[in-house]
Amino acid sequence: MEPQSDYLERLRPAGSRRSTKRELIVDVFLGQEGHLSADDLFDLIRSSDQKISRATVYRTLQWMVEAGIARKVDFGEGRFRFEHSYRHPRHFHLICKTCNRSFEFLSSDIEVLIEEIAFARKFASRQSVVQIYGTCEECKSGRVQPGGTVPTELLFARDALRIAIATERSGLEFYTKAARVTNDDRGRRVFERLAKEEKEHLTILEARYKELMEQDSSLESRPPFLFFKGAANGLFAAGADELEEGADDKEALMIGIRCERGSHRFFRRYGERFEDSEGKQIFLEFADEEREHLELLIREYRSLEERTSKLPSRRRKVSKRRRTA
Ligand SMILES: [Zn+2]
Ligand SMILES: [Zn+2]
């Protein structure tokens, strides 16, 4: 992942000089979680440097917006607020009208829907804003949640890991079942190998999850950030049900291919959309893993076809089916 210094260097406009004032302002801004008004930022800056003027803070904030370091958000309060975008994924907001706090979430299903609408209307979309106004849980129940704010990046990484772990678990279940129902020796060994791999990956992901949880004691119990209707673990669960109903060796491989392909596409598609963050990395790494499994299964499927069909007339059929595998 890109260190903060490289990130800022990359965003610095060509020919612009380093300025210690600006650096201080950017530094303070990046150290904040949440949504600051220009005045909030000015107050923070003033507590570390009395000599910086309000105009300098405003100008730097404007520069940060143009450079992509800051995002401007409007919660309908009659003034803008700003949030930083460094390792901070794009998201939507829930805004409490009682306490005026805002809460972040991301739903890739909503993003996909917005893209589909824009595409259907031949509309070149530049930005979309989703804001839900209402009353937050604390204001509604009067119960204050312990602990301060947790960086969105941590919540994102937590949810990405949870999705990857759920997928890995259902993959393990699928391959264990597939190894049990497969008659072909070679095919069974492939499923056993995949089950073993899934188990190893699962151990690694669970260790990573545990490590992440150690960064903040309240992380586990925080509400979800990432919302997915159709995450990839459902694919393997459906595949396992199909195996249960009965499948021959080739069909079992084909079901595996379909699950891995769906899973690979899911993690790649969303991983590519996210901004630089641990959550993005988790998704892309997982997508690569799934691609390796997919390739292994396709190779096995072809080999099984090769072994079971020797006649020239069958061979034509094989090559035709290969393209669809
Ligand atoms: Zn509230
Ligand atoms: Zn936000």
Side-chain angles (χ1 to χ4, degrees), residues 102-116:
S102 58
F103 309 90
E104 304 182 331
F105 73 98
L106 178 61
S107 162
S108 294
D109 300 313
I110 293 179
E111 291 194 315
V112 167
L113 185 62
I114 290 171
E115 271 173 24
E116 281 171 9

Side-chain angles (χ1 to χ4, degrees), residues 21-180:
K21 269 187 197 171
R22 181 158 76 190
E23 256 146 50
L24 172 74
I25 297 169
V26 171
D27 228 44
V28 169
F29 181 65
L30 289 183
Q32 299 299 310
E33 276 296 319
H35 311 85
L36 302 177
S37 68
D39 291 329
D40 293 339
L41 182 61
F42 175 67
D43 291 343
L44 279 168
I45 301 294
R46 277 304 262 252
S47 62
S48 42
D49 187 336
Q50 290 291 322
K51 290 196 287 291
I52 293 180
S53 71
R54 197 177 286 269
T56 305
V57 172
Y58 285 13
R59 222 174 22 245
T60 306
L61 203 43
Q62 192 51 43
W63 171 76
M64 286 195 282
V65 170
E66 281 157 21
I69 299 167
R71 293 189 208 111
K72 213 170 177 176
V73 287
D74 182 358
F75 292 158
E77 306 162 294
R79 61 172 177 179
F80 288 111
R81 285 179 180 272
F82 301 86
E83 58 184 14
H84 72 77
S85 42
Y86 174 66
R87 289 193 189 171
H88 189 184
R90 246 179 2 263
H91 55 268
F92 302 129
H93 295 106
L94 296 151
I95 300 148
C96 177
K97 294 305 273 182
T98 306
C99 64
N100 286 318
R101 284 183 305 165
S102 58
F103 309 90
E104 304 182 331
F105 73 98
L106 178 61
S107 162
S108 294
D109 300 313
I110 293 179
E111 291 194 315
V112 167
L113 185 62
I114 290 171
E115 271 173 24
E116 281 171 9
I117 293 166
F119 181 78
R121 298 290 296 260
K122 299 186 173 63
F123 188 83
S125 62
R126 193 162 39 94
Q127 192 199 2
S128 47
V129 177
V130 174
Q131 280 167 191
I132 304 173
Y133 292 92
T135 313
C136 75
E137 193 188 349
E138 281 184 20
C139 288
K140 223 171 53 188
S141 66
R143 274 194 307 274
V144 178
Q145 303 246 305
T149 51
V150 170
T152 297
E153 195 198 351
L154 284 185
L155 296 172
F156 182 31
R158 178 201 65 182
D159 292 353
L161 274 172
R162 282 181 181 170
I163 291 171
I165 286 170
T167 309
E168 202 81 83
R169 275 207 190 110
S170 56
L172 172 62
E173 200 178 306
F174 173 81
Y175 289 119
T176 309
K177 202 171 272 182
R180 219 172 42 228

Side-chain angles (χ1 to χ4, degrees), residues 197 201 260 263-269 272 280-296:
E197 267 184 36
H201 289 155
E260 291 289 356
S263 181
H264 164 68
R265 282 188 183 154
F266 170 84
F267 284 100
R268 196 193 50 193
R269 179 183 190 191
E272 280 170 353
K280 180 191 183 88
Q281 261 185 325
I282 292 163
F283 262 56
L284 291 180
E285 279 169 26
F286 202 77
D288 282 347
E289 241 171 58
E290 299 296 68
R291 200 194 50 230
E292 279 169 32
H293 293 170
L294 174 63
E295 283 165 2
L296 176 68

Side-chain angles (χ1 to χ4, degrees), residues 305-312 314-315:
E305 284 233 312
E306 212 74 64
R307 280 176 287 139
T308 52
S309 58
K310 299 270 190 269
L311 296 168
R314 283 280 289 156
R315 190 155 282 170

